[in-house]
Amino acid sequence: MVKLNRIYTRTGDMGTTGLVDGSRAAKDSPRLIAIGEVDEANSAIGVAIVALADHPLAADLTRIQNDLFDLGADLATPGEDFAPSAMVLRIVAGQVERLERELDVMNDSAPPLTSFILPGGTAAAAAIHLARAIVRRAERAAVAAAHDVAINPLVLAYLNRLSDYLFVAARFINKDSGGDILWVPGASR
C-alpha cells in the first residue's frame, strides 16, 4: 500500500521527477508528458462518474480509473521487460480484453451508426465524450514517448481500446435519452 506522509518533497524543484526505478526524468520528457495526459484522462473520467451518479456504468469507470493508475505506473517504469511482478505494475492483455468484452456488450445494444455524431447529449454522455478526447491525446503522447523510450505495447492497446470504449459508453448513455446527436454536413453554411 502506498503511504504518503508529506505531499511536497522538493525533489522536483529543478524540473525532474522520480521514476519507479529511482532514476529521474525531466518533467517535460515525452514519458512524463504521457503520464500527465493519462492523469488528465483519469480526472476527466472522474467528472463523468459524478455526472453518471448511480448508473451502473459508474462502477465500470471507477475500475478503469484504477487501471489508469496501473497504466501510469507502467509508463513510469523504465526498461524493456514488460512482464508484471509483485513489485512491478504492468498493463496486461486481460485488461485490454475486458475493455473489449464490455465495449462489445454496450455496442450490441446501440443502434447502428448512420453518421458521425457530435459529442453531447446528456451531461453524462458529454462528460464521457470529453474523457474520450483526452484519452486520445494521452494515447498520442504515449505513442510519441515510445519513439524515445521503451513503452509496453499493451499500454498503447489499452489507451486505444479505452477511447473506443468511451465512445460507445457515451452512445450507450444517450440511447435512453433521445439518442445520439448526428452531424449534419454543411448544416450551417
Side-chain angles (χ1 to χ4, degrees), residues 34-181:
I35 291 168
E37 300 291 355
V38 168
D39 183 38
E40 185 178 349
N42 204 339
S43 297
I45 290 171
V47 171
I49 290 167
V50 171
L52 284 165
D54 61 352
H55 191 283
L57 187 58
D60 294 338
L61 291 178
T62 300
R63 189 205 65 251
I64 287 168
Q65 284 189 300
N66 279 283
D67 283 352
L68 287 175
F69 260 81
D70 290 354
L71 191 144
D74 193 327
L75 286 170
T77 304
E80 296 184 17
D81 179 4
F82 303 120
S85 70
M87 298 302 293
V88 178
L89 279 171
R90 295 294 191 185
I91 291 296
V92 297
Q95 289 168 295
V96 177
E97 292 161 1
R98 185 184 58 241
L99 282 178
E100 290 172 349
R101 286 190 306 273
E102 292 174 0
L103 187 160
D104 289 342
V105 168
M106 287 187 292
N107 198 47
D108 287 345
S109 72
L113 279 172
T114 58
S115 173
F116 287 106
I117 64 172
L118 302 179
T122 67
I128 293 168
H129 274 298
L130 179 59
R132 172 193 51 78
I134 295 169
V135 167
R136 282 282 188 217
R137 183 168 9 107
E139 179 187 10
R140 291 189 302 271
V143 167
H147 293 299
D148 287 349
V149 296
I151 299 291
N152 181 356
L154 289 171
V155 162
L156 303 179
Y158 187 94
L159 291 170
N160 188 24
R161 213 68 78 250
L162 179 56
S163 61
D164 295 337
Y165 174 101
L166 294 170
F167 175 79
V168 171
R171 295 194 72 222
F172 181 75
I173 294 300
N174 276 339
K175 78 178 174 71
D176 295 328
S177 302
D180 296 317
I181 302 168

Side-chain angles (χ1 to χ4, degrees), residues 6-30:
R6 220 175 53 196
I7 299 303
Y8 65 90
T9 62
R10 297 186 176 114
T11 58
D13 290 352
M14 298 306 293
T16 65
T17 195
L19 299 176
V20 171
D21 68 353
S23 65
R24 299 204 59 84
K27 290 184 179 186
D28 64 351
S29 70

